Amino acid sequence: MSHGFGNEVPHAHGNTSPRPHTRYLVVIDSGGFMVARLFLESREQVAEFDAGTEEVAQMIMHLQPTGDAGDPPWDRALAGHSAAERADARVYQLAI
């Protein structure tokens, strides 16, 4: 019998597999604003946010860009950006 007192018992956690690691951070101009986009190894986008945040600076603090986003592997992932935006973009490979 319950009178509405006490706390609910927490539900059991599902047996979910861990999420894959983010592998790339791309800093790219998007309509006049610099955005940071996070990608998996498969070049699937998992996040997008303002590139001016402190978190972006911390993520790329000791990294050098590995190239630009004009390379063919980025064609599908960055299809909404112009060739000029992609050429000026900086791609960072994040440590796992």
Side-chain angles (χ1 to χ4, degrees):
M1 175 165 16
S2 173
H3 296 288
F5 299 107
N7 295 327
E8 267 188 58
V9 175
H11 297 286
H13 293 281
N15 189 10
T16 59
S17 60
R19 289 185 261 171
H21 295 283
T22 302
R23 189 69 171 147
Y24 300 103
L25 182 136
V26 177
V27 177
I28 190 166
D29 181 25
S30 182
F33 297 98
M34 295 302 286
V35 295
R37 299 175 77 181
L38 294 173
F39 293 90
L40 301 176
E41 183 77 33
S42 63
R43 306 254 184 339
E44 175 187 348
Q45 183 177 330
V46 293
E48 179 176 324
F49 45 92
D50 180 10
T53 63
E54 182 179 342
E55 289 81 3
V56 173
Q58 289 174 352
M59 280 191 273
I60 63 174
M61 185 180 306
H62 298 291
L63 300 176
Q64 295 296 319
T66 59
D68 64 40
D71 298 336
W74 292 104
D75 287 346
R76 184 169 179 232
L78 299 172
H81 292 278
S82 69
E85 288 173 339
R86 289 179 54 189
D88 290 339
R90 296 179 310 246
V91 177
Y92 297 92
Q93 189 167 353
L94 303 174
I96 298 179

